[in-house]
C-alpha cells in the first residue's frame, strides 16, 4: 500500500485531471476560458481536508504495523519525504491558493492519529495474547487503553479555537511593550 502511494503522488504532480479538463474545454472555447474552467481542483479529492485525511491514514498504517514489520517505518519515511517534495512544489507553485484552515485540519489529524493508537494497542494485545504462553503480557498491553482514553479525553478538552481572556490580555500587554520594535518581519527575498 505505501509504495503504491508513491505512484499516486507522481500522478498528483502531473495534475492529469486538470490537464484533461483543460484539453476538453479547449476544444469548445478559447484557451483563457478553458484554463479558468479547468483550474479549480476537485476539493473532494485534492482539497486540504481530503489530503489531510489521506496523510493521516498513511501515518497510522505505518504506526500500527511498525512493530510487526519494522521495514514499514523506512517505507513510511520515504513516503513522507516524497510527499514533502511533491506537495511542497504543488502547493506553492502549481495550485490555486486556498483559505487557511490548517488549525482545524491539524487538530483533526492529531485526533485521528490518537484513534489509530487504539488500533495499535488492540493489535499488539492480540499479538501478545496469541504468541505468549501466559495471559499477563496481553492484559498489560490492553491496560494501556485506559491511559490512551484519558489522554485523548484531555486532548479533546483543549481549547484551541479561542484563547482564554487571560491569555489574550497577556498577549495584548506584551505587544504594547514591544511597540517600539519592528511591527512585522518581511523576508527580503519575497518583497
Amino acid at each position: 500500500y505505501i509504495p503504491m502511494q508513491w505512484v499516486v503522488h507522481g500522478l498528483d504532480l502531473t495534475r492529469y485531471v486538470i490537464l484533461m479538463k483543460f484539453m476538453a474545454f479547449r476544444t469548445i472555447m478559447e484557451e483563457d476560458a478553458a484554463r479558468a474552467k479547468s483550474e479549480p481542483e476537485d476539493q473532494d479529492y485534492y482539497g486540504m481536508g481530503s489530503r489531510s485525511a489521506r496523510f493521516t491514514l498513511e501515518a497510522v498504517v505505518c504506526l500500527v504495523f511498525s512493530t510487526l514489520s519494522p521495514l514499514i517505518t523506512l517505507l513510511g519515511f520515504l513516503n513522507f519525504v516524497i510527499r514533502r517534495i511533491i506537495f511542497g512544489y504543488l502547493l506553492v507553485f502549481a495550485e490555486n491558493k486556498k483559505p487557511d484552515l490548517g488549525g482545524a485540519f491539524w487538530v483533526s489529524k492529531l485526533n485521528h492519529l490518537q484513534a489509530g493508537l487504539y488500533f495499535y494497542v488492540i493489535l499488539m494485545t492480540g499479538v501478545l495474547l496469541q504468541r505468549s504462553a501466559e495471559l499477563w503480557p496481553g492484559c498489560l498491553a490492553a491496560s494501556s487503553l485506559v491511559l490512551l482514553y484519558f489522554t485523548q479525553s484531555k486532548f479533546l478538552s483543549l481549547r484551541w479555537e479561542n484563547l482564554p481572556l487571560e491569555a489574550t490580555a497577556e498577549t495584548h500587554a506584551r505587544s504594547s511593550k514591544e511597540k517600539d520594535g519592528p511591527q512585522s518581519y518581511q523576508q527580503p527575498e519575497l518583497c
Side-chain angles (χ1 to χ4, degrees):
Y1 174 76
I2 297 295
M4 284 305 296
Q5 293 305 305
W6 303 341
V7 175
V8 174
H9 304 330
L11 287 174
D12 286 343
L13 184 62
T14 63
R15 299 184 68 193
Y16 66 96
V17 174
I18 294 179
L19 176 64
M20 289 189 300
K21 283 172 40 177
F22 171 74
M23 292 173 66
F25 284 130
R26 191 177 59 179
T27 61
I28 57 174
M29 57 182 68
E30 292 184 23
E31 193 168 315
D32 292 334
R35 181 176 297 122
K37 282 279 215 191
S38 63
E39 189 54 41
E41 301 96 2
D42 177 22
Q43 294 302 305
D44 292 340
Y45 185 78
Y46 296 104
M48 280 200 311
S50 174
R51 281 186 183 154
S52 294
R54 284 183 279 132
F55 295 175
T56 306
L57 175 65
E58 292 168 15
V60 166
V61 166
C62 292
L63 179 70
V64 167
F65 294 109
S66 63
T67 305
L68 296 178
S69 176
L71 180 63
I72 200 166
T73 56
L74 177 63
L75 295 175
F77 178 75
L78 287 173
N79 179 49
F80 285 106
V81 167
I82 291 169
R83 187 178 282 274
R84 168 65 177 100
I85 292 168
I86 288 176
F87 288 102
Y89 169 78
L90 282 177
L91 294 175
V92 175
F93 298 110
E95 294 184 355
N96 292 337
K97 300 289 184 211
K98 295 173 180 68
D100 185 17
L101 296 174
F105 291 128
W106 176 250
V107 171
S108 179
K109 282 185 203 180
L110 292 177
N111 193 19
H112 291 145
L113 276 173
Q114 286 183 336
L117 287 176
Y118 283 105
F119 287 112
Y120 178 75
V121 170
I122 291 169
L123 178 70
M124 288 298 107
T125 300
V127 167
L128 290 172
L129 288 173
Q130 176 70 29
R131 294 185 181 175
S132 176
E134 298 178 9
L135 196 61
W136 68 268
C139 293
L140 185 64
S143 69
S144 63
L145 286 170
V146 175
L147 177 65
L148 185 58
Y149 172 77
F150 284 117
T151 56
Q152 188 173 26
S153 298
K154 184 176 179 181
F155 175 75
L156 292 174
S157 69
L158 292 175
R159 294 180 56 191
W160 62 272
E161 290 178 322
N162 299 320
L163 283 175
L165 185 59
E166 296 82 21
T168 306
E170 288 175 15
T171 304
H172 180 68
R174 239 180 305 157
S175 67
S176 64
K177 288 179 183 177
E178 297 172 356
K179 285 207 180 206
D180 299 333
Q183 294 298 320
S184 66
Y185 173 77
Q186 292 184 349
Q187 189 172 349
E189 293 85 1
L190 299 176
C191 293

